[in-house]
Amino acid sequence: MNLQQFRFVRETIRRNFNLTEAARSLFTSQPGVSKAIIEFEDELGVKIFERHGKRIRGLTKPGVQVAQVIDRIMREVDNLKKVSDEFARHNEGGLVIACTHAQARYILPRVIPAFRARFPKVRVSLAEGSPPHLAQLVLHEQADVAIATETLALTPGLASLPVYSWEHVIVVRPDHPLAQLKSSEAKAITLEQLAAYPIITYDHAFSGRTTIDEVFASKNIKPDLVLEAIDADVIKTYVDVGLGIGIIAGMAFDPRRDPDLVGIPAGHLFGTHVTRVAVKSGVFLRDYVFVLLEMLAPELTRDVVTDAIENNHTN
Amino acid sequence: MNLQQFRFVRETIRRNFNLTEAARSLFTSQPGVSKAIIEFEDELGVKIFERHGKRIRGLTKPGVQVAQVIDRIMREVDNLKKVSDEFARHNEGGLVIACTHAQARYILPRVIPAFRARFPKVRVSLAEGSPPHLAQLVLHEQADVAIATETLALTPGLASLPVYSWEHVIVVRPDHPLAQLKSSEAKAITLEQLAAYPIITYDHAFSGRTTIDEVFASKNIKPDLVLEAIDADVIKTYVDVGLGIGIIAGMAFDPRRDPDLVGIPAGHLFGTHVTRVAVKSGVFLRDYVFVLLEMLAPELTRDVVTDAIENNHTN
DNA sequence: TGTTGTTACGGAAAACGTAAATATT
DNA sequence: AATATTTACGTTTTCCGTAACAACA
């Protein structure tokens, strides 16, 4: 029994039970993989793979169990490398942050410079995508953390924690009728008023778009959605050229930086949203990952995060 | 990186950082162990062991972390063997039940015959000992389950569940003054009355002896303990020969089987006790272990036990 | 007939044991 | 001096790649 056999079994499963592909992706010979697996099965005394003649088609019943244990073992083996790296190359290494455009553009700029200053040798990279995609990145260990909306909390295998809450903002041109409202009128703006104008907002699955749809639907209002985009910059641009009114996440609007637009808080219409951070449960986190999280939200201390990972919390 | 290196590291720690002993207990050469460990450290890029010259004294800081991960890996590797055995030799294998005399003598006889009938090929063995000792047996995987008093719930690393509750019984000879009490008087028997006679009961740490001590102490009564034994049979024998009155666990007294003694329930004096079953958390349990537990107590279904193991419950 | 898995075999690499050297208590 | 670890070295075993074979679709 050896680690190589575990790798071969795992990769064969991942490659849809194709030994040839498994061998190729592990840079070794196909007969070697075949032999190692057969020897492994012999040692365990059970067949792991369902064979139809000479074709491997799937896992046997014991194979399912064995595969689960192997997954856990290999995850821990990976952790071994990370644990030692933490000491051998303290404060060196890579950090992949999977996040949506909104985080990359409006939240992380407050954090990354300080992080870089503290960990100059850590190579930071941002992977943008839709929340479900981000969850997959973390789940497949292609990213260390994901920062996105509530969706993350629903993904099995991830431990997620709340970072901050925010509300939507309606953005309009200064010459737009909605921009003329008095402060008290703006606070009481209704869905019906909004629906009177063409609307530009996020693509599905982004920044609370689902909620926006639900809110309109619950009042049986069909908004006139003229454009959908995955980021607020694009939305603001089209609002600016007069295509309609925008509904964006609050953090994406700043009166000082967006002097050509007027923002109207819309929390009373679309509710409060929580941006969450997620890490894969069971994986070892480098020290600087904990620091990053604490920079994002001071309440995300090492203890809180560790607890969430170990007990697979989803607070 | 290979499993052998993990084994060497783990064994070296277990043998108090003595490579020579570790090698011997793994039936291999000492230089081989030394070399494998050094190569492992080189690969990880960290020293696992604290060396003073050529003596290994303990774990380094990274070593502590590495050792933890290795423990998890090796536990899963053991599980691999168990998982496959479960299929390869279904309903065959060994079952070691660690229990106190009380369980072996008065509880398990109700269960073992049925278990044997259902799993004729499982070799059952009973390991008797004190509750802390039993806990150690399970923790070191020398026993599959432990059955004993509450102590088990306090042992870290074990998942334990309640099996049944019981109360103490005072046993006396038929010619003893306490045997002459009317039923209503017997129910209201006091500690003071008991303390008037020489007492025979369990050794410390057995069958609620601690509670007995505490109850007497709380009333500032010093009982006249003439004899301590680890099992009720011995206690009953000495009660029978007139050495004193006995305090034993309720399950150890049966009017039909002990016609020469009179039993007086003592739950109102010494409270209710819970016998628990414990398994090591994180280990794979053979199918027949689950069945045994369900035979012991119908509410200990597979789901309940699995849940307790995975979440390290201590209900 | 092309693709995929198993068997056969030989060279390379590693694993491991013995012996010797070195350091510690 | 006794005990313990590392280094050196040679043998044995395991590993792994190529080639050939067998079986599926």
Side-chain angles (χ1 to χ4, degrees), chain B residues 17 19-20 30-31 34 51 54-55:
Chain B
F17 310 106
L19 281 196
T20 312
Q30 183 272 325
S34 173
R51 288 174 177 80
K54 279 199 173 181
R55 292 298 158 102

Side-chain angles (χ1 to χ4, degrees), chain B residues 34-109:
Chain B
S34 173
K35 189 151 180 285
I37 289 179
I38 290 170
E39 283 171 357
F40 185 40
E41 291 180 318
D42 286 349
E43 182 174 353
L44 290 183
V46 292
K47 290 261 171 274
I48 297 170
F49 293 109
E50 192 89 57
R51 288 174 177 80
H52 285 244
K54 279 199 173 181
R55 292 298 158 102
I56 295 177
R57 286 235 182 117
L59 289 167
T60 60
K61 232 170 67 181
V64 174
Q65 305 281 323
V66 168
Q68 280 178 10
V69 179
I70 285 180
D71 267 344
R72 288 201 291 270
I73 293 174
M74 294 315 287
R75 191 199 306 157
E76 293 294 353
V77 170
D78 291 342
N79 283 349
L80 215 43
K81 198 82 206 104
K82 290 189 199 169
V83 163
S84 49
D85 272 4
E86 177 62 29
F87 291 91
R89 298 209 295 278
H90 189 55
N91 294 347
E92 276 184 57
L95 170 63
V96 181
I97 305 172
C99 61
T100 54
H101 175 88
Q103 318 305 327
R105 175 81 165 76
Y106 299 104
I107 302 300
L108 290 175

